[in-house]
Amino acid sequence: MRCISKKEMVLFCYGEIAEKQKREIENHLKECGRCFRLYEESKKFFSTLKIQKKEISSLEIEALIKAVRARLTDEKGENLREKVGYFFNGLWYGIIFRYKVASVIAGIIIFLLLLPTVKYKKTPTSNLSMEILQVEMELSLEDEDISEFDVYYNFNDLEKYSS
Amino acid sequence: MLAHKEGEIRQCVEKFLGGKENSFDSLVRLIASDVVNIACYYVGNIEDAKDIAQEVLIKLYRKLKGFRQEANISTWIYRIVINTSIDFIRRKRKVISFKEGITKDRKATQNIKDEIVRRDKKVLIEEALERLPSRQKEVIIFKHFEGLKINEISKVLGCSESSVKTYLYRAVENLKKIIGGKNALYI
């Protein structure tokens, strides 16, 4: 086998070489001093190639989890507020604004349906009028003047008062 | 390394998709350290890396339900971390180097060989990594420091396996030149 190229040596040191080629290189290293020296140098270089990994404490990891959860919760709230906002915006612009005539007719119908209930509540009852008259009568018992109660209920005696 | 935790990650994801909300917290505890470290390779400082990790975890939470179960979860998470880190750097619009955490009070020198006497090997390697072109840096980080296979790196970075092999070889040669100098034994 020919001598090993630098690229092949790098891949061989990292174990990223096909099985057949790996066997050929191993056999060649036994025979070729130059390639064997290159192999030893490469191994030494890779063994010194180290950097210190940053250690993250469990407290920092828990803080990270909390921060992530807080942001996800905020996003959910925002999403909900957005959805509600979109709903009402959609209602206004999508339905009412677009279907103006239909909205007006619907409004009128709703008003007319509600109107009777409003009217009946404001009309005084006949019982109330009767009570007013009765009180007036009691107050005017000693009064010679004719009360409305007398006129209303004693219409048969009208002649008595006519003179 | 995320790739070595594929089984555990998959278990947490399956439980989460099955309705166990607290499985997401278990997933975070499993991968947080790796996510922060990978982000740190891009942005060079731990604080920004933690911010990126937060963004990544939120994206994971949202996207997990749409994840295709047959794909490699760790590869997918790597992609999210890379994209989020790159977006973060673009937003910040500045190059943040590894040097920031190391050379606060020292003048940056052009000639790295002059610094060999004063600096320790770890700092030298970090500075050398920073000087690599971005693709070479990514490949050497995922291959050497994260232990991914060439085919996994090609999926993460979205390039062919032969490209990854070429980037890897060039990264190693460049690192030898930068760290070793002319008289280096490795060259």
Side-chain angles (χ1 to χ4, degrees), chain B residues 20 22 28 31 42-43 64 82 91 145 147:
Chain B
K20 289 188 182 176
N22 57 1
V28 172
I31 67 173
Y42 282 88
V43 293
L64 266 173
I82 292 168
R91 276 203 311 268
F145 300 109

Side-chain angles (χ1 to χ4, degrees), chain A residues 6-8 10-11 14-16 38 41-42 44-56 60-62 64-65 67-69 71-72 75-76, chain B residues 21 24-25 28-29 33 36-37 40-41 46 50 54-55 57-58 61-62 122 125-126 140 143-146 149-150 166 168-169 172-173 175 185-186:
Chain A
K6 286 183 180 176
K7 187 174 178 180
E8 282 171 329
V10 168
L11 296 173
Y14 278 120
E16 292 283 355
L38 182 63
E41 285 163 13
S42 298
K44 192 176 175 183
F45 173 76
F46 290 131
S47 67
T48 61
L49 203 61
K50 286 174 191 166
I51 52 172
Q52 201 168 357
K53 285 209 170 184
K54 310 286 183 276
E55 285 303 320
I56 315 298
E60 285 172 308
I61 293 175
E62 293 306 317
L64 189 60
I65 293 172
V68 168
R69 286 285 178 198
R71 274 187 63 179
L72 287 169
E75 277 177 14
K76 270 186 195 166
Chain B
E21 187 68 23
F24 184 76
D25 294 356
V28 172
R29 289 185 191 101
S33 209
V36 170
N37 271 290
C40 215
Y41 293 134
I46 193 87
K50 282 182 194 172
Q54 212 183 102
E55 295 279 344
L57 294 167
I58 288 169
Y61 185 90
R62 286 189 209 137
K122 182 194 82 174
I125 292 168
E126 286 177 352
I140 194 78
K143 182 65 211 156
H144 191 86
F145 300 109
E146 291 295 312
K149 298 275 176 202
I150 297 279
T166 305
L168 179 64
Y169 161 67
V172 169
E173 289 301 301
L175 282 174
L185 193 63
Y186 320 112

Side-chain angles (χ1 to χ4, degrees), chain A:
Chain A
M1 189 195 159
R2 53 160 177 82
C3 283
I4 306 163
S5 68
K6 286 183 180 176
K7 187 174 178 180
E8 282 171 329
M9 186 57 77
V10 168
L11 296 173
F12 176 72
C13 288
Y14 278 120
E16 292 283 355
I17 211 126
E19 199 56 42
K20 184 186 171 190
Q21 205 177 356
K22 185 183 168 190
R23 278 198 298 272
E24 284 174 7
I25 291 174
E26 282 169 351
N27 289 334
H28 181 78
L29 287 174
K30 289 174 191 169
E31 295 162 359
C32 180
R34 180 186 168 277
C35 290
F36 185 77
R37 271 196 305 278
L38 182 63
Y39 170 68
E40 289 290 308
E41 285 163 13
S42 298
K43 260 181 43 178
K44 192 176 175 183
F45 173 76
F46 290 131
S47 67
T48 61
L49 203 61
K50 286 174 191 166
I51 52 172
Q52 201 168 357
K53 285 209 170 184
K54 310 286 183 276
E55 285 303 320
I56 315 298
S57 69
S58 52
L59 277 174
E60 285 172 308
I61 293 175
E62 293 306 317
L64 189 60
I65 293 172
K66 262 191 187 174
V68 168
R69 286 285 178 198
R71 274 187 63 179
L72 287 169
T73 310
D74 283 346
E75 277 177 14
K76 270 186 195 166
E78 273 179 25
N79 283 344
L80 188 62
R81 282 192 289 275
E82 262 181 42
K83 279 179 187 170
V84 170
Y86 285 142
F87 173 75
F88 284 109
N89 266 341
L91 190 66
W92 176 251
Y93 290 107
I95 300 169
I96 295 171
F97 193 71
R98 194 181 289 178
Y99 304 104
K100 285 177 265 197
V101 174
S103 306
V104 168
I105 293 171
I108 292 169
I109 292 170
I110 291 166
F111 175 74
L112 289 172
L113 285 171
L114 288 173
L115 195 60
T117 55
V118 170
K119 189 180 166 184
Y120 282 129
K121 277 183 184 172
K122 286 187 178 174
T123 307
T125 60
S126 54
N127 282 340
L128 187 60
S129 303
M130 268 299 295
E131 279 179 27
I132 292 168
L133 287 172
Q134 210 164 359
V135 167
E136 209 172 48
M137 182 203 74
E138 286 167 11
L139 287 170
S140 67
L141 272 177
E142 294 178 6
D143 197 338
E144 291 180 357
D145 290 335
I146 302 166
S147 73
E148 284 180 65
F149 182 81
D150 286 331
V151 173
Y152 192 78
Y153 283 100
N154 300 308
F155 64 92
N156 290 324
D157 297 328
L158 263 176
E159 287 175 7
K160 188 166 81 175
Y161 298 105
S162 62
S163 62

